[in-house]
Each structure stands twice: as C-alpha cells, then as structure tokens.
Amino acid sequence: MSELNLVLLGPPGSGKGTQGERLNEDLRLPYYATGDILRAAVRDETELGRTAKGYMDAGDLVPDDVIVGVIAEALDSEAARDGFILDGFPRTTPQAEALDAKLDQLGRAVGTVLLIDVSDEEVVRRLGGRRTCVENGHVFHVEFNPPEREGVCDIDGSELITRDDDNPETIRNRLAQYHEKTEPLVGYYDQRGVLRRLDGERDPDEVAEEIRRTLATMRLEQDEDV
Ligand code: AP5
C-alpha cells in the first residue's frame, strides 16, 4: 500500500487542527502543525520562538526560510518514513515548492491535499469562541464543541485559554494573509491532481466522515496506478 503524504489546507479556523487531531489518532502518522510548533517555540523562548512571535501576534506569516527548515528536518526523520500529516504548511507558493523539492530528494511526493472550505463569516464566528489548551493545543469551542468543565481541557486537564491571535483585528489580518498568500495553493495542487475540496461548514463528525471516505477512495485510485 502507498504511503500517505497528506496536507490539510484551509483558512484560519476552518477546522484543520480539529480534523488533524482525529486523523492523527486514526492513522497513527506523525502530525506536524506549524502553528503548534511555533507556539511551543514562543512558550519555550527558543530562537525560533523569538523570531516568530512578532509575526504571529500581528497575524502575519513568519518568513518562508524560518518555517521551511523546521519542516524539512521533520520530514527527514525516521518517524515520517511511512507518511505524515501537515497542518498549516505549506502556506505560500515558495513553501509548496520547497516541500516538493524536499520530498523529491527523498523520492516521494505530496499525495493528497484536503481543502477544508469555510466562509470568512464562519471563520470569525469560530475563532471568537475558540478555546485552546495550554499544554497540548487541544481545541474546543464555547458553543460548537464545549468542554465538559468550563475552562478545563477534557483530554489532559490543563487550562483552556483564548489564543493571543484570536482577537478581531488579528483575525481580519490572518484572513487577508490567507486569501493573498495561501489561496493560490488551491490552484497549485489542483493542477497536480491531488486536491480534494470538503465543505467545512458542517458538523465536525460529518467533516471527519467525508475525510475518511475521500482518503479511502484516493488510496484505492493511487494503488491502482502503481
Ligand atoms: P495556525 O495555528 O496554523 O493558525 P491558522 O491557520 O490560522 O489556523 P487555526 O489554528 O486558527 O485554525 P484551524 O483551521 O486549525 O481550526 P480549528 O480546528 O482550531 O498558525 C498561527 C500563526 O503561525 C500564523 O498566523 C502564522 O503567523 C504562523 N504560521 C503557522 N504556519 C506557518 C507557515 N507555514 N508559514 C508562515 N507562518 C506560519 O477550529 C477553529 C474553531 O472552530 C475551534 O474552536 C473548533 O472547536 C471550531 N470548529 C472546528 N471545526 C468545526 C465545525 N465543523 N463546526 C463548528 N465549529 C468547528
């Protein structure tokens, strides 16, 4: 069976993290979420974190060379040999080209890109009510996916907070960045025949079910082509 080299694409708040967590559990593949990696670096006050913080707080993208190195190193690891899930990377055309170059070097390629489609209005509703756990980044929503105990993560018991970049002004800039810099990747991957669009404005369980069906169909098609 072919390896699963999977990219989750979509605007901020489309549910990449929510679905990524589920996929991580289902598929047992390494899951690299660049936002989580960068937030951990900011928290640990590493050099990467110090570089990234100002960009993240403003809702801007960190420079390509900063993030490309992080992902290239991850994909070189033994853990990613049988496949991987990328969430939040690539986010620009130069990042997508760097990813292709890295995978090409390893004799591999991006096999599946899932675009989770959500309107700007829905993004604003979702991010305003999002709560994120401080320890491991588990994601909840005060209305759509509330934790059992207010302010406490169901999974690891740590505190739930509102992310620094989930304020109205920063959300607007993150959306603008998405439309300008990340949306061109829809065409980039569509041309390569690996893109599948999903309606992200449904219940998370329904989105997860469609992802399962889509992956199963794509794997069958890819195995037939081998
Ligand atoms: P990152 O953390 O990746 O932020 P993002 O792309 O803006 O995505 P989010 O994490 O906000 O949303 P999500 O799609 O994961 O949605 P979620 O599942 O949480 O990046 C942060 C920053 O890091 C960037 O701004 C940038 O500065 C930097 N960065 C990261 N990667 C970079 C890169 N490659 N290059 C340069 N810079 C980079 O869901 C959102 C909410 O909705 C939750 O409350 C959830 O419970 C709820 N929800 C989810 N699904 C549903 C549903 N189906 N129905 C109702 N509610 C739902």
Side-chain angles (χ1 to χ4, degrees), residues 11-18 34-35 38-39 56 60-62 67 88-89 91 95 126 130 139-141 144 163 174 200 202 204:
S14 54
K16 302 182 297 297
T18 300
T34 42
L38 291 169
R39 275 184 293 280
M56 295 176 79
D60 290 331
L61 298 185
V62 305
I67 196 70
F89 184 95
R91 249 174 159 100
Q95 289 182 20
R126 286 189 187 178
R130 174 164 59 183
V139 174
F140 298 85
H141 191 282
F144 309 132
R163 262 170 50 175
R174 286 162 64 199
R202 290 169 301 165

PDB file of all heavy atoms in Angstrom, residues 11-18 34-35 38-39 56 60-62 67 88-89 91 95 126 130 139-141 144 163 174 200 202 204, ligand 1:
ATOM      1  N   PRO A  11      -8.587  28.060   5.363  1.00  0.00           N
ATOM      2  CA  PRO A  11      -8.402  29.315   6.084  1.00  0.00           C
ATOM      3  C   PRO A  11      -8.229  29.103   7.582  1.00  0.00           C
ATOM      4  O   PRO A  11      -8.511  28.005   8.085  1.00  0.00           O
ATOM      5  CB  PRO A  11      -9.687  30.092   5.785  1.00  0.00           C
ATOM      6  CG  PRO A  11     -10.662  29.107   5.285  1.00  0.00           C
ATOM      7  CD  PRO A  11      -9.905  27.949   4.741  1.00  0.00           C
ATOM      8  N   PRO A  12      -7.796  30.134   8.294  1.00  0.00           N
ATOM      9  CA  PRO A  12      -7.740  30.028   9.757  1.00  0.00           C
ATOM     10  C   PRO A  12      -9.119  29.637  10.266  1.00  0.00           C
ATOM     11  O   PRO A  12     -10.132  30.127   9.748  1.00  0.00           O
ATOM     12  CB  PRO A  12      -7.370  31.443  10.211  1.00  0.00           C
ATOM     13  CG  PRO A  12      -7.545  32.332   9.038  1.00  0.00           C
ATOM     14  CD  PRO A  12      -7.415  31.481   7.821  1.00  0.00           C
ATOM     15  N   GLY A  13      -9.161  28.745  11.229  1.00  0.00           N
ATOM     16  CA  GLY A  13     -10.448  28.395  11.823  1.00  0.00           C
ATOM     17  C   GLY A  13     -11.301  27.459  11.002  1.00  0.00           C
ATOM     18  O   GLY A  13     -12.445  27.187  11.358  1.00  0.00           O
ATOM     19  N   SER A  14     -10.767  26.917   9.906  1.00  0.00           N
ATOM     20  CA  SER A  14     -11.591  26.032   9.071  1.00  0.00           C
ATOM     21  C   SER A  14     -11.762  24.661   9.700  1.00  0.00           C
ATOM     22  O   SER A  14     -12.613  23.883   9.279  1.00  0.00           O
ATOM     23  CB  SER A  14     -10.983  25.910   7.672  1.00  0.00           C
ATOM     24  OG  SER A  14      -9.641  25.496   7.763  1.00  0.00           O
ATOM     25  N   GLY A  15     -10.920  24.347  10.693  1.00  0.00           N
ATOM     26  CA  GLY A  15     -11.030  23.041  11.350  1.00  0.00           C
ATOM     27  C   GLY A  15      -9.851  22.125  11.040  1.00  0.00           C
ATOM     28  O   GLY A  15      -9.917  20.914  11.267  1.00  0.00           O
ATOM     29  N   LYS A  16      -8.739  22.696  10.570  1.00  0.00           N
ATOM     30  CA  LYS A  16      -7.569  21.867  10.252  1.00  0.00           C
ATOM     31  C   LYS A  16      -7.065  21.163  11.503  1.00  0.00           C
ATOM     32  O   LYS A  16      -6.767  19.969  11.482  1.00  0.00           O
ATOM     33  CB  LYS A  16      -6.441  22.735   9.659  1.00  0.00           C
ATOM     34  CG  LYS A  16      -6.833  23.494   8.401  1.00  0.00           C
ATOM     35  CD  LYS A  16      -5.678  24.291   7.821  1.00  0.00           C
ATOM     36  CE  LYS A  16      -5.137  25.409   8.718  1.00  0.00           C
ATOM     37  NZ  LYS A  16      -6.106  26.495   9.009  1.00  0.00           N
ATOM     38  N   GLY A  17      -6.975  21.916  12.601  1.00  0.00           N
ATOM     39  CA  GLY A  17      -6.487  21.321  13.858  1.00  0.00           C
ATOM     40  C   GLY A  17      -7.461  20.285  14.399  1.00  0.00           C
ATOM     41  O   GLY A  17      -7.057  19.202  14.834  1.00  0.00           O
ATOM     42  N   THR A  18      -8.756  20.608  14.348  1.00  0.00           N
ATOM     43  CA  THR A  18      -9.787  19.684  14.846  1.00  0.00           C
ATOM     44  C   THR A  18      -9.722  18.365  14.075  1.00  0.00           C
ATOM     45  O   THR A  18      -9.705  17.277  14.663  1.00  0.00           O
ATOM     46  CB  THR A  18     -11.187  20.329  14.664  1.00  0.00           C
ATOM     47  OG1 THR A  18     -11.213  21.553  15.406  1.00  0.00           O
ATOM     48  CG2 THR A  18     -12.293  19.414  15.126  1.00  0.00           C
ATOM     49  N   THR A  34       2.292  23.486  12.012  1.00  0.00           N
ATOM     50  CA  THR A  34       3.322  24.519  12.174  1.00  0.00           C
ATOM     51  C   THR A  34       2.922  25.576  13.205  1.00  0.00           C
ATOM     52  O   THR A  34       3.777  26.092  13.917  1.00  0.00           O
ATOM     53  CB  THR A  34       3.686  25.175  10.824  1.00  0.00           C
ATOM     54  OG1 THR A  34       2.499  25.414  10.084  1.00  0.00           O
ATOM     55  CG2 THR A  34       4.620  24.294  10.029  1.00  0.00           C
ATOM     56  N   GLY A  35       1.624  25.884  13.294  1.00  0.00           N
ATOM     57  CA  GLY A  35       1.191  26.847  14.313  1.00  0.00           C
ATOM     58  C   GLY A  35       1.528  26.339  15.714  1.00  0.00           C
ATOM     59  O   GLY A  35       2.051  27.078  16.553  1.00  0.00           O
ATOM     60  N   LEU A  38       5.287  26.480  16.319  1.00  0.00           N
ATOM     61  CA  LEU A  38       5.751  27.847  16.572  1.00  0.00           C
ATOM     62  C   LEU A  38       5.308  28.346  17.944  1.00  0.00           C
ATOM     63  O   LEU A  38       6.073  29.006  18.654  1.00  0.00           O
ATOM     64  CB  LEU A  38       5.249  28.787  15.465  1.00  0.00           C
ATOM     65  CG  LEU A  38       5.882  28.562  14.078  1.00  0.00           C
ATOM     66  CD1 LEU A  38       5.139  29.355  13.009  1.00  0.00           C
ATOM     67  CD2 LEU A  38       7.361  28.941  14.090  1.00  0.00           C
ATOM     68  N   ARG A  39       4.044  28.016  18.338  1.00  0.00           N
ATOM     69  CA  ARG A  39       3.583  28.464  19.673  1.00  0.00           C
ATOM     70  C   ARG A  39       4.420  27.824  20.778  1.00  0.00           C
ATOM     71  O   ARG A  39       4.748  28.468  21.771  1.00  0.00           O
ATOM     72  CB  ARG A  39       2.090  28.144  19.867  1.00  0.00           C
ATOM     73  CG  ARG A  39       1.184  29.231  19.300  1.00  0.00           C
ATOM     74  CD  ARG A  39      -0.276  28.961  19.584  1.00  0.00           C
ATOM     75  NE  ARG A  39      -0.757  27.790  18.868  1.00  0.00           N
ATOM     76  CZ  ARG A  39      -1.108  27.803  17.591  1.00  0.00           C
ATOM     77  NH1 ARG A  39      -1.053  28.905  16.894  1.00  0.00           N
ATOM     78  NH2 ARG A  39      -1.526  26.698  16.998  1.00  0.00           N
ATOM     79  N   MET A  56       3.501  36.360  14.500  1.00  0.00           N
ATOM     80  CA  MET A  56       2.289  35.631  14.914  1.00  0.00           C
ATOM     81  C   MET A  56       1.308  36.559  15.632  1.00  0.00           C
ATOM     82  O   MET A  56       0.109  36.510  15.392  1.00  0.00           O
ATOM     83  CB  MET A  56       2.671  34.461  15.816  1.00  0.00           C
ATOM     84  CG  MET A  56       3.494  33.423  15.091  1.00  0.00           C
ATOM     85  SD  MET A  56       4.023  32.118  16.172  1.00  0.00           S
ATOM     86  CE  MET A  56       2.545  31.129  16.285  1.00  0.00           C
ATOM     87  N   ASP A  60       0.591  37.958  10.872  1.00  0.00           N
ATOM     88  CA  ASP A  60       1.362  37.832   9.629  1.00  0.00           C
ATOM     89  C   ASP A  60       2.002  36.451   9.573  1.00  0.00           C
ATOM     90  O   ASP A  60       2.164  35.789  10.604  1.00  0.00           O
ATOM     91  CB  ASP A  60       2.488  38.885   9.596  1.00  0.00           C
ATOM     92  CG  ASP A  60       1.933  40.292   9.408  1.00  0.00           C
ATOM     93  OD1 ASP A  60       0.863  40.419   8.790  1.00  0.00           O
ATOM     94  OD2 ASP A  60       2.576  41.240   9.900  1.00  0.00           O
ATOM     95  N   LEU A  61       2.415  36.051   8.377  1.00  0.00           N
ATOM     96  CA  LEU A  61       3.131  34.786   8.254  1.00  0.00           C
ATOM     97  C   LEU A  61       4.591  34.990   8.644  1.00  0.00           C
ATOM     98  O   LEU A  61       5.175  36.040   8.348  1.00  0.00           O
ATOM     99  CB  LEU A  61       3.067  34.275   6.812  1.00  0.00           C
ATOM    100  CG  LEU A  61       1.674  33.969   6.261  1.00  0.00           C
ATOM    101  CD1 LEU A  61       1.784  33.365   4.862  1.00  0.00           C
ATOM    102  CD2 LEU A  61       0.914  33.027   7.182  1.00  0.00           C
ATOM    103  N   VAL A  62       5.193  33.997   9.261  1.00  0.00           N
ATOM    104  CA  VAL A  62       6.632  34.082   9.532  1.00  0.00           C
ATOM    105  C   VAL A  62       7.353  33.885   8.184  1.00  0.00           C
ATOM    106  O   VAL A  62       6.788  33.302   7.257  1.00  0.00           O
ATOM    107  CB  VAL A  62       7.102  33.033  10.582  1.00  0.00           C
ATOM    108  CG1 VAL A  62       6.310  33.139  11.857  1.00  0.00           C
ATOM    109  CG2 VAL A  62       7.030  31.628  10.034  1.00  0.00           C
ATOM    110  N   ILE A  67      10.360  28.746   8.490  1.00  0.00           N
ATOM    111  CA  ILE A  67       9.488  27.593   8.700  1.00  0.00           C
ATOM    112  C   ILE A  67       9.871  26.408   7.805  1.00  0.00           C
ATOM    113  O   ILE A  67       9.718  25.243   8.192  1.00  0.00           O
ATOM    114  CB  ILE A  67       7.997  27.998   8.529  1.00  0.00           C
ATOM    115  CG1 ILE A  67       7.063  26.957   9.114  1.00  0.00           C
ATOM    116  CG2 ILE A  67       7.644  28.335   7.120  1.00  0.00           C
ATOM    117  CD1 ILE A  67       7.091  26.890  10.604  1.00  0.00           C
ATOM    118  N   GLY A  88      -1.150  23.472   8.229  1.00  0.00           N
ATOM    119  CA  GLY A  88      -0.632  24.841   8.286  1.00  0.00           C
ATOM    120  C   GLY A  88       0.643  25.031   7.491  1.00  0.00           C
ATOM    121  O   GLY A  88       1.233  26.104   7.516  1.00  0.00           O
ATOM    122  N   PHE A  89       1.054  24.021   6.789  1.00  0.00           N
ATOM    123  CA  PHE A  89       2.234  24.090   5.916  1.00  0.00           C
ATOM    124  C   PHE A  89       1.972  23.188   4.720  1.00  0.00           C
ATOM    125  O   PHE A  89       1.537  22.065   4.922  1.00  0.00           O
ATOM    126  CB  PHE A  89       3.489  23.614   6.648  1.00  0.00           C
ATOM    127  CG  PHE A  89       4.740  23.757   5.809  1.00  0.00           C
ATOM    128  CD1 PHE A  89       5.536  24.884   5.926  1.00  0.00           C
ATOM    129  CD2 PHE A  89       5.102  22.774   4.888  1.00  0.00           C
ATOM    130  CE1 PHE A  89       6.674  25.028   5.135  1.00  0.00           C
ATOM    131  CE2 PHE A  89       6.229  22.918   4.096  1.00  0.00           C
ATOM    132  CZ  PHE A  89       7.021  24.041   4.227  1.00  0.00           C
ATOM    133  N   ARG A  91       2.053  27.262   3.190  1.00  0.00           N
ATOM    134  CA  ARG A  91       1.130  28.381   3.250  1.00  0.00           C
ATOM    135  C   ARG A  91       1.436  29.439   2.205  1.00  0.00           C
ATOM    136  O   ARG A  91       0.739  30.455   2.148  1.00  0.00           O
ATOM    137  CB  ARG A  91       1.276  29.051   4.615  1.00  0.00           C
ATOM    138  CG  ARG A  91       0.101  28.885   5.539  1.00  0.00           C
ATOM    139  CD  ARG A  91       0.546  29.502   6.841  1.00  0.00           C
ATOM    140  NE  ARG A  91      -0.558  29.853   7.656  1.00  0.00           N
ATOM    141  CZ  ARG A  91      -0.992  29.126   8.674  1.00  0.00           C
ATOM    142  NH1 ARG A  91      -0.442  27.974   8.950  1.00  0.00           N
ATOM    143  NH2 ARG A  91      -1.983  29.548   9.408  1.00  0.00           N
ATOM    144  N   GLN A  95       6.858  28.019  -0.167  1.00  0.00           N
ATOM    145  CA  GLN A  95       6.853  26.894   0.788  1.00  0.00           C
ATOM    146  C   GLN A  95       6.439  25.598   0.080  1.00  0.00           C
ATOM    147  O   GLN A  95       7.008  24.533   0.336  1.00  0.00           O
ATOM    148  CB  GLN A  95       5.904  27.167   1.952  1.00  0.00           C
ATOM    149  CG  GLN A  95       6.391  28.240   2.908  1.00  0.00           C
ATOM    150  CD  GLN A  95       5.451  28.461   4.087  1.00  0.00           C
ATOM    151  OE1 GLN A  95       4.630  27.620   4.434  1.00  0.00           O
ATOM    152  NE2 GLN A  95       5.583  29.614   4.721  1.00  0.00           N
ATOM    153  N   ARG A 126     -16.144  31.272  14.516  1.00  0.00           N
ATOM    154  CA  ARG A 126     -15.442  30.171  15.174  1.00  0.00           C
ATOM    155  C   ARG A 126     -14.273  30.646  16.036  1.00  0.00           C
ATOM    156  O   ARG A 126     -14.087  30.184  17.150  1.00  0.00           O
ATOM    157  CB  ARG A 126     -14.910  29.203  14.124  1.00  0.00           C
ATOM    158  CG  ARG A 126     -16.011  28.375  13.524  1.00  0.00           C
ATOM    159  CD  ARG A 126     -15.393  27.320  12.674  1.00  0.00           C
ATOM    160  NE  ARG A 126     -16.404  26.586  11.938  1.00  0.00           N
ATOM    161  CZ  ARG A 126     -16.146  25.633  11.084  1.00  0.00           C
ATOM    162  NH1 ARG A 126     -14.881  25.302  10.855  1.00  0.00           N
ATOM    163  NH2 ARG A 126     -17.109  25.003  10.470  1.00  0.00           N
ATOM    164  N   ARG A 130     -13.230  30.163  20.148  1.00  0.00           N
ATOM    165  CA  ARG A 130     -12.298  29.037  20.324  1.00  0.00           C
ATOM    166  C   ARG A 130     -11.596  29.112  21.678  1.00  0.00           C
ATOM    167  O   ARG A 130     -11.215  30.181  22.142  1.00  0.00           O
ATOM    168  CB  ARG A 130     -11.240  29.053  19.219  1.00  0.00           C
ATOM    169  CG  ARG A 130     -10.168  27.988  19.474  1.00  0.00           C
ATOM    170  CD  ARG A 130      -9.324  27.690  18.288  1.00  0.00           C
ATOM    171  NE  ARG A 130      -8.605  28.835  17.778  1.00  0.00           N
ATOM    172  CZ  ARG A 130      -7.853  28.791  16.696  1.00  0.00           C
ATOM    173  NH1 ARG A 130      -7.757  27.676  16.001  1.00  0.00           N
ATOM    174  NH2 ARG A 130      -7.224  29.868  16.284  1.00  0.00           N
ATOM    175  N   VAL A 139      -8.279  21.569  21.013  1.00  0.00           N
ATOM    176  CA  VAL A 139      -9.129  22.692  20.623  1.00  0.00           C
ATOM    177  C   VAL A 139     -10.600  22.466  20.992  1.00  0.00           C
ATOM    178  O   VAL A 139     -11.137  21.389  20.770  1.00  0.00           O
ATOM    179  CB  VAL A 139      -9.011  22.886  19.089  1.00  0.00           C
ATOM    180  CG1 VAL A 139      -9.986  23.940  18.610  1.00  0.00           C
ATOM    181  CG2 VAL A 139      -7.604  23.290  18.709  1.00  0.00           C
ATOM    182  N   PHE A 140     -11.234  23.505  21.546  1.00  0.00           N
ATOM    183  CA  PHE A 140     -12.664  23.466  21.889  1.00  0.00           C
ATOM    184  C   PHE A 140     -13.319  24.737  21.381  1.00  0.00           C
ATOM    185  O   PHE A 140     -12.643  25.659  20.912  1.00  0.00           O
ATOM    186  CB  PHE A 140     -12.845  23.365  23.411  1.00  0.00           C
ATOM    187  CG  PHE A 140     -12.247  22.104  23.980  1.00  0.00           C
ATOM    188  CD1 PHE A 140     -10.891  22.039  24.308  1.00  0.00           C
ATOM    189  CD2 PHE A 140     -13.019  20.964  24.159  1.00  0.00           C
ATOM    190  CE1 PHE A 140     -10.337  20.870  24.797  1.00  0.00           C
ATOM    191  CE2 PHE A 140     -12.473  19.798  24.650  1.00  0.00           C
ATOM    192  CZ  PHE A 140     -11.125  19.753  24.976  1.00  0.00           C
ATOM    193  N   HIS A 141     -14.652  24.781  21.486  1.00  0.00           N
ATOM    194  CA  HIS A 141     -15.378  25.993  21.134  1.00  0.00           C
ATOM    195  C   HIS A 141     -16.493  26.170  22.154  1.00  0.00           C
ATOM    196  O   HIS A 141     -17.186  25.194  22.478  1.00  0.00           O
ATOM    197  CB  HIS A 141     -15.956  25.895  19.721  1.00  0.00           C
ATOM    198  CG  HIS A 141     -16.486  27.194  19.212  1.00  0.00           C
ATOM    199  ND1 HIS A 141     -17.712  27.702  19.597  1.00  0.00           N
ATOM    200  CD2 HIS A 141     -15.941  28.122  18.380  1.00  0.00           C
ATOM    201  CE1 HIS A 141     -17.899  28.858  18.998  1.00  0.00           C
ATOM    202  NE2 HIS A 141     -16.846  29.147  18.264  1.00  0.00           N
ATOM    203  N   PHE A 144     -19.819  25.395  19.852  1.00  0.00           N
ATOM    204  CA  PHE A 144     -19.900  24.264  18.925  1.00  0.00           C
ATOM    205  C   PHE A 144     -19.265  22.989  19.469  1.00  0.00           C
ATOM    206  O   PHE A 144     -19.555  21.899  19.003  1.00  0.00           O
ATOM    207  CB  PHE A 144     -19.218  24.602  17.586  1.00  0.00           C
ATOM    208  CG  PHE A 144     -19.688  25.895  16.982  1.00  0.00           C
ATOM    209  CD1 PHE A 144     -18.780  26.829  16.510  1.00  0.00           C
ATOM    210  CD2 PHE A 144     -21.042  26.173  16.898  1.00  0.00           C
ATOM    211  CE1 PHE A 144     -19.216  28.024  15.951  1.00  0.00           C
ATOM    212  CE2 PHE A 144     -21.488  27.356  16.338  1.00  0.00           C
ATOM    213  CZ  PHE A 144     -20.573  28.295  15.874  1.00  0.00           C
ATOM    214  N   ARG A 163      -6.424  32.093  22.421  1.00  0.00           N
ATOM    215  CA  ARG A 163      -5.128  32.369  21.806  1.00  0.00           C
ATOM    216  C   ARG A 163      -4.927  33.864  21.585  1.00  0.00           C
ATOM    217  O   ARG A 163      -5.874  34.581  21.280  1.00  0.00           O
ATOM    218  CB  ARG A 163      -5.047  31.656  20.441  1.00  0.00           C
ATOM    219  CG  ARG A 163      -4.319  30.348  20.508  1.00  0.00           C
ATOM    220  CD  ARG A 163      -4.437  29.519  19.257  1.00  0.00           C
ATOM    221  NE  ARG A 163      -4.139  30.202  18.002  1.00  0.00           N
ATOM    222  CZ  ARG A 163      -4.103  29.584  16.831  1.00  0.00           C
ATOM    223  NH1 ARG A 163      -4.336  28.288  16.758  1.00  0.00           N
ATOM    224  NH2 ARG A 163      -3.844  30.256  15.724  1.00  0.00           N
ATOM    225  N   ARG A 174      -5.259  37.752   9.497  1.00  0.00           N
ATOM    226  CA  ARG A 174      -4.958  36.348   9.149  1.00  0.00           C
ATOM    227  C   ARG A 174      -5.766  35.920   7.927  1.00  0.00           C
ATOM    228  O   ARG A 174      -5.272  35.209   7.066  1.00  0.00           O
ATOM    229  CB  ARG A 174      -5.250  35.434  10.350  1.00  0.00           C
ATOM    230  CG  ARG A 174      -4.194  35.579  11.444  1.00  0.00           C
ATOM    231  CD  ARG A 174      -4.674  35.050  12.772  1.00  0.00           C
ATOM    232  NE  ARG A 174      -4.946  33.638  12.767  1.00  0.00           N
ATOM    233  CZ  ARG A 174      -5.716  33.032  13.681  1.00  0.00           C
ATOM    234  NH1 ARG A 174      -6.254  33.727  14.669  1.00  0.00           N
ATOM    235  NH2 ARG A 174      -5.918  31.745  13.614  1.00  0.00           N
ATOM    236  N   GLY A 200     -16.478  22.511   4.814  1.00  0.00           N
ATOM    237  CA  GLY A 200     -16.123  22.517   6.238  1.00  0.00           C
ATOM    238  C   GLY A 200     -17.200  23.101   7.136  1.00  0.00           C
ATOM    239  O   GLY A 200     -17.042  23.150   8.353  1.00  0.00           O
ATOM    240  N   ARG A 202     -19.977  22.031   8.204  1.00  0.00           N
ATOM    241  CA  ARG A 202     -20.897  21.017   8.720  1.00  0.00           C
ATOM    242  C   ARG A 202     -20.369  20.560  10.056  1.00  0.00           C
ATOM    243  O   ARG A 202     -19.272  20.925  10.467  1.00  0.00           O
ATOM    244  CB  ARG A 202     -20.965  19.832   7.749  1.00  0.00           C
ATOM    245  CG  ARG A 202     -21.662  20.192   6.457  1.00  0.00           C
ATOM    246  CD  ARG A 202     -21.485  19.114   5.444  1.00  0.00           C
ATOM    247  NE  ARG A 202     -20.078  18.901   5.175  1.00  0.00           N
ATOM    248  CZ  ARG A 202     -19.593  17.841   4.556  1.00  0.00           C
ATOM    249  NH1 ARG A 202     -20.388  16.884   4.165  1.00  0.00           N
ATOM    250  NH2 ARG A 202     -18.303  17.732   4.331  1.00  0.00           N
ATOM    251  N   PRO A 204     -18.440  18.703  12.865  1.00  0.00           N
ATOM    252  CA  PRO A 204     -17.098  18.107  12.761  1.00  0.00           C
ATOM    253  C   PRO A 204     -17.115  16.594  12.474  1.00  0.00           C
ATOM    254  O   PRO A 204     -16.259  16.092  11.751  1.00  0.00           O
ATOM    255  CB  PRO A 204     -16.477  18.374  14.136  1.00  0.00           C
ATOM    256  CG  PRO A 204     -17.214  19.557  14.673  1.00  0.00           C
ATOM    257  CD  PRO A 204     -18.591  19.516  14.084  1.00  0.00           C
TER     258      PRO A 204
HETATM  259  P1  AP5 B   1      -2.017  28.279  12.912  1.00  0.00           P
HETATM  260  O1  AP5 B   1      -2.022  27.870  14.322  1.00  0.00           O
HETATM  261  O2  AP5 B   1      -1.762  27.277  11.859  1.00  0.00           O
HETATM  262  O3  AP5 B   1      -3.373  29.078  12.663  1.00  0.00           O
HETATM  263  P2  AP5 B   1      -4.427  29.067  11.452  1.00  0.00           P
HETATM  264  O4  AP5 B   1      -4.048  28.508  10.143  1.00  0.00           O
HETATM  265  O5  AP5 B   1      -4.872  30.474  11.469  1.00  0.00           O
HETATM  266  O6  AP5 B   1      -5.417  28.001  11.838  1.00  0.00           O
HETATM  267  P3  AP5 B   1      -6.107  27.873  13.191  1.00  0.00           P
HETATM  268  O7  AP5 B   1      -5.277  27.061  14.132  1.00  0.00           O
HETATM  269  O8  AP5 B   1      -6.555  29.232  13.678  1.00  0.00           O
HETATM  270  O9  AP5 B   1      -7.457  27.131  12.794  1.00  0.00           O
HETATM  271  P4  AP5 B   1      -7.763  25.630  12.381  1.00  0.00           P
HETATM  272  O10 AP5 B   1      -8.069  25.564  10.913  1.00  0.00           O
HETATM  273  O11 AP5 B   1      -6.747  24.674  12.921  1.00  0.00           O
HETATM  274  O12 AP5 B   1      -9.166  25.459  13.113  1.00  0.00           O
HETATM  275  P5  AP5 B   1      -9.531  24.716  14.487  1.00  0.00           P
HETATM  276  O13 AP5 B   1      -9.584  23.251  14.292  1.00  0.00           O
HETATM  277  O14 AP5 B   1      -8.696  25.235  15.615  1.00  0.00           O
HETATM  278  O15 AP5 B   1      -0.935  29.464  12.685  1.00  0.00           O
HETATM  279  C1  AP5 B   1      -0.809  30.536  13.589  1.00  0.00           C
HETATM  280  C2  AP5 B   1       0.257  31.512  13.099  1.00  0.00           C
HETATM  281  O16 AP5 B   1       1.531  30.841  12.996  1.00  0.00           O
HETATM  282  C3  AP5 B   1       0.038  32.117  11.718  1.00  0.00           C
HETATM  283  O17 AP5 B   1      -0.808  33.238  11.759  1.00  0.00           O
HETATM  284  C4  AP5 B   1       1.478  32.473  11.305  1.00  0.00           C
HETATM  285  O18 AP5 B   1       1.921  33.637  11.941  1.00  0.00           O
HETATM  286  C5  AP5 B   1       2.278  31.308  11.870  1.00  0.00           C
HETATM  287  N1  AP5 B   1       2.457  30.195  10.905  1.00  0.00           N
HETATM  288  C6  AP5 B   1       1.995  28.928  11.053  1.00  0.00           C
HETATM  289  N2  AP5 B   1       2.345  28.169   9.986  1.00  0.00           N
HETATM  290  C7  AP5 B   1       3.038  28.989   9.155  1.00  0.00           C
HETATM  291  C8  AP5 B   1       3.645  28.804   7.867  1.00  0.00           C
HETATM  292  N3  AP5 B   1       3.598  27.612   7.226  1.00  0.00           N
HETATM  293  N4  AP5 B   1       4.256  29.861   7.290  1.00  0.00           N
HETATM  294  C9  AP5 B   1       4.318  31.061   7.912  1.00  0.00           C
HETATM  295  N5  AP5 B   1       3.762  31.310   9.128  1.00  0.00           N
HETATM  296  C10 AP5 B   1       3.121  30.279   9.738  1.00  0.00           C
HETATM  297  O19 AP5 B   1     -11.055  25.232  14.647  1.00  0.00           O
HETATM  298  C11 AP5 B   1     -11.346  26.577  14.958  1.00  0.00           C
HETATM  299  C12 AP5 B   1     -12.540  26.650  15.949  1.00  0.00           C
HETATM  300  O20 AP5 B   1     -13.720  26.172  15.276  1.00  0.00           O
HETATM  301  C13 AP5 B   1     -12.368  25.770  17.191  1.00  0.00           C
HETATM  302  O21 AP5 B   1     -12.945  26.419  18.279  1.00  0.00           O
HETATM  303  C14 AP5 B   1     -13.150  24.466  16.852  1.00  0.00           C
HETATM  304  O22 AP5 B   1     -13.667  23.838  18.009  1.00  0.00           O
HETATM  305  C15 AP5 B   1     -14.253  25.012  15.944  1.00  0.00           C
HETATM  306  N6  AP5 B   1     -14.610  24.073  14.883  1.00  0.00           N
HETATM  307  C16 AP5 B   1     -13.789  23.261  14.155  1.00  0.00           C
HETATM  308  N7  AP5 B   1     -14.491  22.566  13.251  1.00  0.00           N
HETATM  309  C17 AP5 B   1     -15.784  22.963  13.373  1.00  0.00           C
HETATM  310  C18 AP5 B   1     -17.006  22.611  12.688  1.00  0.00           C
HETATM  311  N8  AP5 B   1     -17.023  21.719  11.704  1.00  0.00           N
HETATM  312  N9  AP5 B   1     -18.142  23.229  13.084  1.00  0.00           N
HETATM  313  C19 AP5 B   1     -18.138  24.153  14.089  1.00  0.00           C
HETATM  314  N10 AP5 B   1     -17.027  24.504  14.778  1.00  0.00           N
HETATM  315  C20 AP5 B   1     -15.853  23.923  14.411  1.00  0.00           C
END
